[in-house]
Amino acid sequence: MGRAKSLDKLPRMELEEAPTRLRSKPTWLISKAAVRAHRLISDAMTAIDGRAYHFAILAALDEFGPDSQVRIGRRCGIDQSDMHTMLKELIAQGYVERTSDPNDRRRNLIISTHSGRRRLKELDSALSAAQGDLLDALSAVERDHLTALLVRVLG
C-alpha cells in the first residue's frame, strides 16, 4: 500500500467544505466511502498481483465447493462475460480447474486447486488489511454494527 494514510482518506477539508445538506446524505457518504474502499482494495490487490474477483470466486469455491461457472457468477454478483475472463485467468495461474460434472457430463464444474486455496489465504489477508485501513476509526463493535446495517440496506 505504501501511501501515507492521509492520502487514502477523503481530505478533511473537502469533507468539511462540502455543503451540510450533502454531508448529511448517507448516499453521498456511502459513495465517498465506496470510492475510498475501491482504491484501498485496488492498491492491496495490485501489491500482490491479484484481483478482487479472484478472491470472490475462490471464496465461493471454498465455502460452497465445486460448482458451475453460472452459479459461482450469480453467487458473487459477477457478470458472465467477466466470469469467463476471470476463470480463464485463474485456470492459467493454476488456481482452479474445469472438470466434467460426474452427475451430468454435459456440465462442467469449477474446482479450486491446492494452489488456489493458498492463493485465497493470500488474497484474504490483503483484503483484511485493506478493510482494517478503511475502518480504522471504528471499534470492532462498530464495524460489526456497520456490517449489519449495510446488509439490511442491501437486503
Side-chain angles (χ1 to χ4, degrees), residues 69-139:
Q69 174 177 325
V70 171
R71 284 188 50 150
I72 296 167
R74 280 191 200 132
R75 279 196 166 120
C76 299
I78 301 172
D79 180 80
Q80 280 307 302
S81 62
D82 292 331
M83 186 67 186
H84 179 74
T85 301
M86 293 298 119
L87 283 177
K88 278 178 56 178
E89 290 177 5
L90 287 168
I91 290 168
Q93 295 167 349
Y95 298 136
V96 301
E97 294 175 349
R98 195 182 304 266
T99 186
S100 293
D101 184 339
N103 298 322
D104 181 353
R105 295 282 178 198
R106 297 169 296 169
R107 186 175 104 143
N108 286 319
L109 290 177
I110 307 302
I111 62 169
S112 183
T113 65
H114 180 70
S115 294
R117 290 185 289 280
R118 276 197 327 261
R119 182 61 168 164
L120 174 60
K121 289 178 184 176
E122 293 170 354
L123 295 170
D124 198 10
S125 179
L127 286 172
S128 292
Q131 301 267 9
D133 289 347
L134 178 68
L135 302 174
D136 68 346
L138 303 179
S139 71

Side-chain angles (χ1 to χ4, degrees), residues 15-33:
L15 184 60
E16 290 173 351
E17 289 183 358
T20 302
R21 283 186 177 162
L22 194 55
R23 284 185 285 132
S24 68
K25 301 296 183 204
T27 51
W28 186 78
L29 294 168
I30 289 169
S31 174
K32 293 296 182 185

Side-chain angles (χ1 to χ4, degrees), residues 4-54:
K5 201 174 253 192
S6 63
L7 293 178
D8 288 332
K9 293 185 177 182
L10 182 65
R12 186 156 191 79
M13 186 68 90
E14 182 180 333
L15 184 60
E16 290 173 351
E17 289 183 358
T20 302
R21 283 186 177 162
L22 194 55
R23 284 185 285 132
S24 68
K25 301 296 183 204
T27 51
W28 186 78
L29 294 168
I30 289 169
S31 174
K32 293 296 182 185
V35 167
R36 181 167 171 241
H38 181 74
R39 185 175 53 246
L40 289 168
I41 290 168
S42 178
D43 289 350
M45 291 294 99
T46 298
I48 61 169
D49 195 28
R51 293 178 183 254
Y53 278 162
H54 291 179

Side-chain angles (χ1 to χ4, degrees), residues 56-75:
I57 293 165
L58 292 170
L61 290 170
D62 185 63
E63 184 170 341
F64 300 106
D67 212 341
S68 71
Q69 174 177 325
V70 171
R71 284 188 50 150
I72 296 167
R74 280 191 200 132
R75 279 196 166 120

